[in-house]
Amino acid sequence: MKMRSILITGCSSGIGYDAAHGLRKAGWRVFASCRKAEDAERLKAEGFEAPVLDLADHASIVAALDEVLAATGGTLDALYNNGAFACPGAVEDLPREALQEVFNTNVFGTHDLTREVIKVMRRQGHGHIITCSSVLGLVAYRWRGAYVASKFALEGLMDCLRIEMRDTPIHFVLIEPGPITSKIRENSIPLFERFVDWRNSARAVQYETLTKRLYESSGPDRFELPASAVTDKIIKALDSGKPAPRYYVTTPTYLMGTLKRLLPTRTLDRLIAKG
């Protein structure tokens, strides 16, 4: 029986790295892609097929997928859209360029790759496309406007695809993690320093709290789970012939998903603002 194959983006650390290991252990042929060549080489040393795939570069997307299809004989059973990053800062302080940087990877690159993979899955007659969203794809939170906007956009695109593709054998799934152990905080610092002039912001005093949290690790967040909690939900979705549209991960996601359905917007705003 042919081993099932999956392409995962953003495998250098965190959720993607754990997913690559977890799915390989579960019997999948994993193509663990990374944006940087040095990270791809590290994963190759761990025994993975690891194409270089930069979601901000369409040519890189096409080349990486071609590499995967050449290795599999033209098929791909699943795609896990995981690659993403954040640029912290108050929305009023985020220049257009910051949003473009985030959206080029989190949204436009993911969209480009998804479209290319749909062509493959249409030809072969099956497939799962799983996209990592976030609790911040369900509700907004201060200082995270660029990331929130990108995840809201992904939610809309994947919801539309799920409805439009009902007449195909391709399954579309959203994974909704809350606080998960990863390097997203550390990885967001260069973008923050590049784009946000916080010292000259009208919110300069408030930024002192953000910068302390950004630059000083305070240990795990409340309710934080290891990346393996996300991998478990990915495997559950992949093993299902009729996967759920969404899989929540962590207590905050379950809580916020419920509160968004039940509470008036202003009430939910007040609760989130206290957090």
Side-chain angles (χ1 to χ4, degrees):
M1 186 175 179
K2 186 177 179 181
M3 183 181 292
R4 292 183 295 175
S5 60
I6 183 168
L7 170 61
I8 306 174
T9 61
C11 291
S12 62
S13 64
I15 291 173
Y17 183 79
D18 189 272
H21 280 273
L23 284 161
R24 183 170 67 176
K25 186 177 180 180
W28 285 76
R29 182 178 183 180
V30 176
F31 293 88
S33 72
C34 300
R35 179 174 61 89
K36 296 180 179 179
E38 56 265 36
D39 290 324
E41 290 302 317
R42 174 170 50 86
L43 284 168
K44 288 178 182 177
E46 296 179 24
F48 287 102
E49 296 169 274
V52 175
L53 195 164
D54 183 352
L55 287 167
D57 181 350
H58 183 73
S60 175
I61 292 170
V62 173
L65 184 57
D66 284 348
E67 181 180 333
V68 171
L69 297 178
T72 64
T75 65
L76 184 65
D77 297 292
L79 167 66
Y80 179 43
N81 288 314
N82 171 70
F85 62 86
C87 179
V91 171
E92 64 183 299
D93 296 325
L94 292 173
R96 178 190 183 99
E97 292 78 11
L99 290 177
Q100 286 177 328
E101 192 87 4
V102 170
F103 269 65
N104 279 340
T105 290
N106 295 16
V107 181
F108 303 139
T110 296
H111 176 62
D112 284 349
L113 178 57
T114 297
R115 290 182 66 230
E116 295 297 329
V117 170
I118 285 173
K119 298 173 188 176
V120 177
M121 292 181 174
R122 276 188 176 276
R123 288 197 301 267
Q124 68 192 20
H126 70 274
H128 284 67
I129 295 179
I130 302 177
T131 299
C132 190
S133 181
S134 169
V135 63
L136 298 179
L138 303 177
V139 296
Y141 201 80
R142 70 178 78 189
W143 308 115
R144 294 167 174 82
Y147 189 76
V148 166
S150 73
K151 293 302 184 180
F152 270 45
L154 275 181
E155 292 269 333
L157 285 171
M158 295 303 158
D159 279 349
C160 285
L161 275 169
R162 191 181 64 253
I163 294 167
E164 292 169 354
M165 302 291 283
R166 283 171 59 87
D167 62 343
T168 76
I170 306 171
H171 302 291
F172 291 85
V173 175
L174 284 158
I175 304 289
E176 315 275 9
I180 295 290
T181 305
S182 73
K183 293 185 177 180
I184 191 168
R185 176 184 62 82
E186 301 99 306
N187 291 342
S188 70
I189 292 173
L191 275 294
F192 176 73
E193 292 177 344
R194 177 179 167 192
F195 289 117
V196 181
D197 183 15
W198 67 271
R199 292 179 179 83
N200 293 311
S201 168
R203 299 186 179 277
V205 173
Q206 297 174 10
Y207 268 102
E208 293 177 5
T209 300
L210 172 63
T211 55
K212 182 177 177 62
R213 178 176 174 79
L214 190 59
Y215 288 96
E216 299 176 16
S217 175
S218 58
D221 288 340
R222 188 182 182 191
F223 303 118
E224 183 175 308
L225 292 179
S228 59
V230 179
T231 302
D232 290 343
K233 293 297 177 75
I234 297 168
I235 293 172
K236 183 176 182 180
L238 289 171
D239 286 345
S240 174
K242 190 176 181 181
R246 284 174 169 78
Y247 290 87
Y248 288 177
V249 188
T250 76
T251 298
T253 305
Y254 282 98
L255 178 62
M256 289 301 167
T258 301
L259 293 179
K260 185 174 183 178
R261 291 195 301 270
L262 298 178
L263 295 181
T265 299
R266 290 184 185 277
T267 303
L268 183 58
D269 285 351
R270 285 196 297 271
L271 286 174
I272 293 174
K274 292 179 181 178

